[in-house]
Amino acid sequence: MNHLSLDLSMFRPFPPQRSIHAVPRLSINEKGDLAMNAAFRKQVGTTRDFQGLYAENGNQLILIPGEKPNIHFSNASGTAKNRALAEILKGLGYRFPILYRFAWSEADKAWVGSSQEMSPPPEIAVPVKPRRKRQRKEAL
């Protein structure tokens, strides 16, 4: 292999990787599937019933354990379904999937999530073959 002569003083080391698995997160897709990540499931323990609330602009969610539950996450996978919530968020202009980062609020005794909206992947340019023009026969 041919090695180039590089001036390493012009380069910087990559930043250290932070584990996203340690941050409690909830994702929502366009079908209304809500999914807690492993860190969130670990933080909530065996609690799976919550009173779910959303901010009018959709940028925050609140999950209150034990209070008049209106959403249940499965015990095994930490998933739930709420198509109506997905439709509301879609109507507010959110692109799916939407990711919410959660933190426990001791003062409110609730999980508070803030939107970490994910942007869609860039579109891949597909080469388009030029159309051949048909030659018209002139009418006599």
Side-chain angles (χ1 to χ4, degrees):
M1 179 174 198
N2 229 355
H3 290 283
L4 299 174
S5 178
L6 298 173
D7 179 5
L8 295 180
S9 67
M10 301 297 292
F11 293 84
R12 300 290 175 259
F14 285 11
Q17 286 183 300
R18 290 186 274 171
S19 175
I20 61 167
H21 303 292
V23 178
R25 295 177 189 223
L26 178 79
S27 63
I28 303 174
N29 69 18
E30 195 165 2
K31 296 177 188 175
D33 297 322
L34 288 76
M36 294 178 168
N37 71 351
F40 203 179
R41 290 192 311 270
K42 184 177 178 181
Q43 290 287 319
V44 298
T46 58
T47 304
R48 292 295 188 261
D49 293 316
F50 298 91
Q51 180 184 16
L53 306 167
Y54 67 93
E56 287 183 9
N57 63 5
N59 70 338
Q60 285 190 309
L61 299 179
I62 297 175
L63 295 175
I64 304 170
E67 290 278 328
K68 302 176 188 170
N70 60 1
I71 189 156
H72 172 79
F73 291 89
S74 77
N75 291 326
S77 63
T79 59
K81 189 139 190 111
N82 193 314
R83 289 185 184 149
L85 178 60
E87 287 299 317
I88 290 167
L89 295 171
K90 185 177 181 180
L92 291 170
Y94 281 84
R95 295 180 189 175
F96 295 93
I98 307 169
L99 191 62
Y100 291 86
R101 180 181 290 185
F102 277 80
W104 176 252
S105 169
E106 188 61 38
D108 300 307
K109 303 286 188 222
W111 288 97
V112 180
S114 297
S115 171
Q116 306 290 309
E117 186 176 6
M118 299 168 66
S119 57
E123 290 186 28
I124 298 173
V126 178
V128 178
K129 291 181 183 179
R131 288 185 165 182
R132 285 199 293 169
K133 293 182 181 178
R134 290 185 180 180
Q135 294 179 356
R136 291 186 168 192
K137 293 182 183 179
E138 292 184 28
L140 297 174

